[in-house]
Structure formats: C-alpha cells, structure tokens
Amino acid sequence: MKTKTKFKKRDLMGWLVMLPTLVLFAFYIWEPFFENIRLSLYTTVRYQTQDFVGLANYARVLKNPDFSAAFKNTFSYTFWSLIIGFLVPIILGILISETVHFKGLFRTGIYFPNIVPSIATIWIWNYFFTPGPTGVLNILLGKIGIEPLQWLNNTHWTIPLIIVTMTWKCAGSTALIYMANISNISPDLYEAATIDGATIWQRIRHITLPSVFGLAKTLLILQVISVFQILQEPMLLKNGGPNNASISLLMLQYRYAFRDFDFAGGAALSVMVALILIVLSGIYMKVTASKED
C-alpha cells in the first residue's frame, strides 16, 4: 500500500510538471482545431457563423477545380521531398562524420543557410531561377554554350526546383542531428571493422546506416507532415503557377480564407488536410510497428 501511495505522488508530480505544456498545447492546437471543425459546418460572414449546413462546405471544396491540382501537387511535393530533401541530410551527415580535417568548417558551412531568413532564401533562389538570359543559372549555362532554360516556368520542373530551394535551406540543421546521432556510435565498432579490413563504404553500410535508422524513421514522418503544409515557397516563387503547377492545399486554403474571405471553405479544407495527415501518420506508425515486431 505504501509503494502504491508513493507511485501516485510521483505520478502527480509528473503531471504537474507537464501541465503548462499541456495547457499551451490545448490552447494553440486542439482549441483551434475543434473551432475549425465547428466553423466548417456553417456558412460564415467573415468570422461570424450563420446557418448550419453540415458537410456542404466540404462538398463545395471538393468540387472546386483547383482542389484536384492542389491535392496532386501536395503529394508531389511530399514525394520529391523524400527523394531529395530526406536523403541529402543523411548523405551530408555521414560524409562530414567520416571527414578527418576541417570538420568544424563543414558543419558551419552546411548550417549557414538555416540562419538566412526564409523570405530572403526564396528571393535569392528566385534570381537563380529567373528565365531568360538574365537569370543567374542561365548566365552560368550560357558560359558553356547552353541556351537559357525556363526553370520554374516549366511545369515539369517547378515542384522539384521548389524542393531544391527548401532542401538548401533546411538540410544543414537536419544533417547536424544525424551527425550527433552518429557521434554516439561506439568507436570500438569502427575500430573492429577497420581491423577486419572493412572499407569506408562497408563501415557506412553495416555500422552507420543501421545506427541512424531509428532516427531517420522519426524524421521521415515529421518531414512528411511539414512538407504537406507547404505554403510560403510556392506562393512567393510562382504564386501557385504556372497553370496551378505549384499550388498546394495550404495555398488553396489561404486563398479561401484571406483572398476570398470564405472562412468556412478554408476551415473545411484545413480539417481535410488534418485528417489526411492523421491517416498517413497512422498508416506509417502501423507499418513501422509491424516491422519492429
């Protein structure tokens, strides 16, 4: 009985420590989420709800011709972020961890883009991707005799190039996380592998990669959630164009709420995005959990 009483006191102390965080989480996450659900079930005039219409706002959003493009593009952003943005930090983290000289310089160099303001980053890359002879990349290509390219004006390249911009901005901080994880690997493992005659690629394959696998699984789902909510980059680079080739679900939501002042439609779309992310996260957790079992 005494042990049970002590456990309850310790449990209560833990809840008291977490209470401020739980209150903030409920205020900034759950309260807006449930308010969005309520708002999506009514007609609205600005922020004021009018008549209850049930799922009519959801049906209206689904019938919007821009929705299919935004839905497809958002999954395309996610796909390219996994091809480019997910692999680049792992490669950088491993390569710098294997570097002997100037390791601190390389760490500083890859993290530097992370301290550049997001809008400044977008405008820098906008100058690089400017079509015609005045774009930075086209000027460089012209030096070797290649004709100017359209870059972001090419509907097939728009999303991959936007992902390149995001990767340049964020890959450094993620690579540092991988490097911190790699630094915790016992040096004895590498020493034993070297004595056995393992090459650098064999050490990476059999020691480094298995060690970062658990971290990579966590960062993967966090990246999917983050990229699925992409808004700033396509809005500032191409405003969703050309021909809706870069519009995302959150950009469409922004148009509903702050361009058309259709807050009910924006709320309905935001709830749909949240549900999609919940389903994707649930599927991912189920798949990874079954593999661990």
Side-chain angles (χ1 to χ4, degrees):
M1 183 65 68
K2 187 180 292 186
T3 303
K4 189 175 181 180
T5 304
K6 287 183 179 180
F7 174 78
K8 284 185 177 180
K9 289 181 179 178
R10 185 178 61 184
D11 197 46
L12 177 62
M13 183 58 66
W15 281 106
L16 289 176
V17 171
M18 291 192 297
L19 184 60
T21 302
L22 293 174
V23 170
L24 290 174
F25 189 82
F27 182 76
Y28 286 107
I29 303 296
W30 289 112
E31 193 278 334
F33 179 68
F34 288 119
E35 177 62 20
N36 254 359
I37 294 176
R38 186 186 72 85
L39 195 64
S40 69
L41 301 176
Y42 289 82
T43 58
T44 57
V45 177
R46 298 285 177 160
Y47 289 105
Q48 301 298 319
T49 57
Q50 300 294 311
D51 302 319
F52 180 81
V53 292
L55 300 178
N57 288 321
Y58 293 90
R60 180 164 55 86
V61 168
L62 290 173
K63 291 178 182 177
N64 187 333
D66 291 339
F67 176 81
S68 59
F71 185 83
K72 173 178 168 292
N73 289 344
T74 301
F75 276 96
S76 184
Y77 279 117
T78 305
F79 170 78
W80 282 107
S81 75
L82 297 180
I83 297 297
I84 301 173
F86 181 69
L87 295 178
V88 168
I90 298 176
I91 296 171
L92 287 175
I94 292 174
L95 291 179
I96 295 177
S97 296
E98 292 288 339
T99 301
V100 177
H101 303 292
F102 305 110
K103 187 176 291 189
L105 177 64
F106 291 137
R107 286 175 178 171
T108 303
I110 65 168
Y111 187 74
F112 180 77
N114 215 70
I115 66 177
V116 179
S118 297
I119 294 179
T121 299
I122 292 169
W123 283 112
I124 289 171
W125 281 95
N126 191 48
Y127 283 117
F128 272 82
F129 292 139
T130 299
T134 59
V136 175
L137 289 178
N138 281 336
I139 291 174
L140 296 175
L141 291 175
K143 300 294 184 182
I144 57 176
I146 298 178
E147 292 295 321
L149 301 176
Q150 291 301 307
W151 300 112
L152 291 173
N153 286 344
N154 187 320
T155 57
H156 299 292
W157 294 2
T158 305
I159 290 178
L161 291 177
I162 290 175
I163 292 299
V164 168
T165 302
M166 297 174 64
T167 302
W168 182 86
K169 165 72 175 171
C170 304
S173 59
T174 309
L176 291 181
I177 297 175
Y178 283 112
M179 281 186 273
N181 183 270
I182 294 171
S183 66
N184 290 326
I185 301 173
S186 174
D188 295 338
L189 295 175
Y190 289 109
E191 185 177 348
T194 303
I195 293 173
D196 290 339
T199 64
I200 182 173
W201 302 114
Q202 289 173 328
R203 295 201 306 269
I204 291 172
R205 178 184 175 186
H206 296 289
I207 299 176
T208 306
L209 288 178
S211 299
V212 302
F213 182 71
L215 175 63
K217 287 197 304 181
T218 302
L219 292 180
L220 187 145
I221 190 61
L222 292 177
Q223 179 168 318
V224 169
I225 293 172
S226 176
V227 175
F228 212 84
Q229 301 175 74
I230 187 172
L231 168 65
Q232 189 170 247
E233 289 79 8
M235 179 181 290
L236 295 180
L237 282 171
K238 291 302 295 180
N239 195 29
N243 298 323
N244 279 343
S246 62
I247 189 173
S248 65
L249 286 174
L250 252 67
M251 190 173 174
L252 182 60
Q253 177 189 334
Y254 178 89
R255 289 180 179 179
Y256 269 115
F258 301 108
R259 187 190 70 179
D260 304 332
F261 299 104
D262 180 4
F263 293 104
L269 184 53
S270 68
V271 172
M272 291 165 65
V273 171
L275 292 177
I276 292 171
L277 288 175
I278 290 172
V279 171
L280 289 177
S281 300
I283 294 173
Y284 176 80
M285 295 302 179
K286 181 69 174 176
V287 171
T288 55
S290 63
K291 286 188 176 182
E292 287 174 359
D293 294 339

